Amino acid sequence: MKNKSILEVCLSPDLGGLELYMSNCSKYLSKEFNVYNVISKNSKLEDYFKNDKNSFLLKRKSSFSLFLALKLAKIIDKQSIDIIHLHWTKDIPIVVFSKKLSKRKPKIVQTRHMTMTRFKNDFYHKFLYKNIDTIICVTKALQEQVNKFIPKNIRPKTEVIYLGAKTSEKLKENEILKFKNSLKVNDSFMLGLVGRINEFKGQHLLIEAMSLLKEKKLNIKAYIIGHAMNEEYLEKLKQKVIKYELEEQVLFVGFTKEPSKFMQACDVVLMASKNETFGLVTIEAMRNGTAVIASNSGGVLEVIDDEKTGLLFENQNYEDLALKIEKLYKDDILREKLAYAGQKKAKIQFDYDKQFEKVIELFGRS
């Protein structure tokens, strides 16, 4: 008999690492607990919870809605929820008020994926954080931010649990070749940038770097994989590609449910975000045995050891990014060495099952 009931909450309309992590939490925690899910109606997460009798759809219009909090409170009481696990920072007000409105008064655990940059010492934030029991931080740097910006007297307990990546099935050489042929890679060096298309993720830096690499006549193709969060930004990227005459070298693939296939096909996977809290894509690429280049900021510094398990480029500096790409383009031995060491580190420190066992253990004693 499973003796605890968990409510996974994510009302985000998008689909990225944060939302997919919520979906994975639901599946993994179901091994030990009764798990229910609340997602936003018409969100991209809906496909992941189709025909799930333990899932509820709520229509979210703003960061706070008393009506929505009341609906959530009814779900909490009806399903006898012991712990609410929330993921999207914007859901905090709705979740806290639903706890206040419920009869059960469940504990609240937040997995925080986003950086914290300002003090939470006003009355409103003090009220919110006083009602959260635990914050799971996905990096040590994030834990330091939480400890710095939330006053000690109302600060929830904090725990560091890294995100984990699974070992993907290794594709055979002929399968990779067939896949690359479908993408018209031909004999080009293949770069991949996987993630939501928005300015924060730095797709524009890759295009600028590619313009420099084209001038050097290097045979490189870059594939931008992910859905656009901002159509205006996507259009700017496409215009930039046209401006630099990179239509043959930079290709937009859109969202894929098989990112590991792309990663295994790539010679190098990039992470060009301005200040990524963790960078799940980075460890997924490492676990897939592909060399990685990432910006030297945020949680990435806890993942990549420069020149050992990957390469770091100066944050927001596309010229340095181009130099690091060129370095691995010209040095197969270094690229293979980084890929091997990166895969080894990701397997030891960022294993999917090991990290989720820590989450289960935390929920078991919460």
Side-chain angles (χ1 to χ4, degrees), residues 24 63 117 143 173 175-176 182 251 256 259 267 304:
N24 290 334
S63 288
T117 55
Q143 185 184 45
E173 278 189 39
E175 290 175 308
I176 289 176
S182 72
L251 299 106
T256 177
D267 293 292
I304 293 176

Side-chain angles (χ1 to χ4, degrees), residues 84-96:
I84 306 172
H85 185 201
L86 74 102
H87 300 261
W88 196 34
T89 307
K90 290 181 181 180
D91 288 337
I92 290 176
I94 291 167
V95 168
V96 167

Side-chain angles (χ1 to χ4, degrees), residues 31 85 132 179 295 312:
K31 295 178 180 182
H85 185 201
I132 295 175
F179 181 60
S295 57
L312 296 175

Side-chain angles (χ1 to χ4, degrees), residues 4-148:
K4 264 186 189 173
S5 293
I6 314 289
L7 185 65
E8 289 286 330
V9 177
C10 186
L11 297 172
S12 163
D14 298 310
L15 189 63
L18 181 152
E19 294 81 11
L20 292 173
Y21 181 73
M22 178 268 183
S23 171
N24 290 334
C25 275
S26 173
K27 289 171 194 160
Y28 214 99
L29 293 174
S30 295
K31 295 178 180 182
E32 296 290 330
F33 309 108
N34 300 307
V35 177
Y36 300 88
N37 311 289
V38 170
I39 59 173
S40 183
K41 205 171 185 179
N42 301 321
S43 74
K44 294 182 174 73
L45 263 177
E46 267 197 70
D47 286 344
Y48 290 78
F49 292 98
K50 272 182 181 172
N51 307 316
D52 186 333
K53 58 180 174 41
N54 288 346
S55 293
F56 303 90
L57 298 175
L58 295 182
K59 199 165 185 180
R60 184 190 188 282
K61 290 183 178 177
S62 62
S63 288
F64 177 69
S65 160
L66 200 58
F67 177 69
L68 198 57
L70 198 55
K71 277 194 162 186
L72 194 55
K74 285 180 180 175
I75 294 169
I76 290 164
D77 291 337
K78 190 174 180 183
Q79 307 304 332
S80 302
I81 299 300
D82 299 297
I83 300 170
I84 306 172
H85 185 201
L86 74 102
H87 300 261
W88 196 34
T89 307
K90 290 181 181 180
D91 288 337
I92 290 176
I94 291 167
V95 168
V96 167
F97 277 92
S98 71
K99 171 183 177 171
K100 288 298 199 183
L101 292 167
S102 73
K103 293 171 187 170
R104 287 189 64 81
K105 306 291 184 280
K107 290 185 175 181
I108 298 175
V109 176
Q110 178 196 8
T111 292
R112 188 167 182 105
H113 300 259
M114 309 306 290
T115 54
M116 189 176 279
T117 55
R118 61 190 179 91
F119 288 100
K120 310 292 182 180
N121 53 2
D122 57 279
F123 174 79
Y124 175 65
H125 283 100
K126 282 181 178 179
F127 166 74
L128 293 180
Y129 284 102
K130 198 163 62 175
N131 283 284
I132 295 175
D133 296 271
T134 304
I135 297 178
I136 299 172
C137 304
V138 297
T139 60
K140 291 172 187 172
L142 188 51
Q143 185 184 45
E144 287 170 10
Q145 290 168 14
V146 169
N147 290 338
K148 178 183 176 181

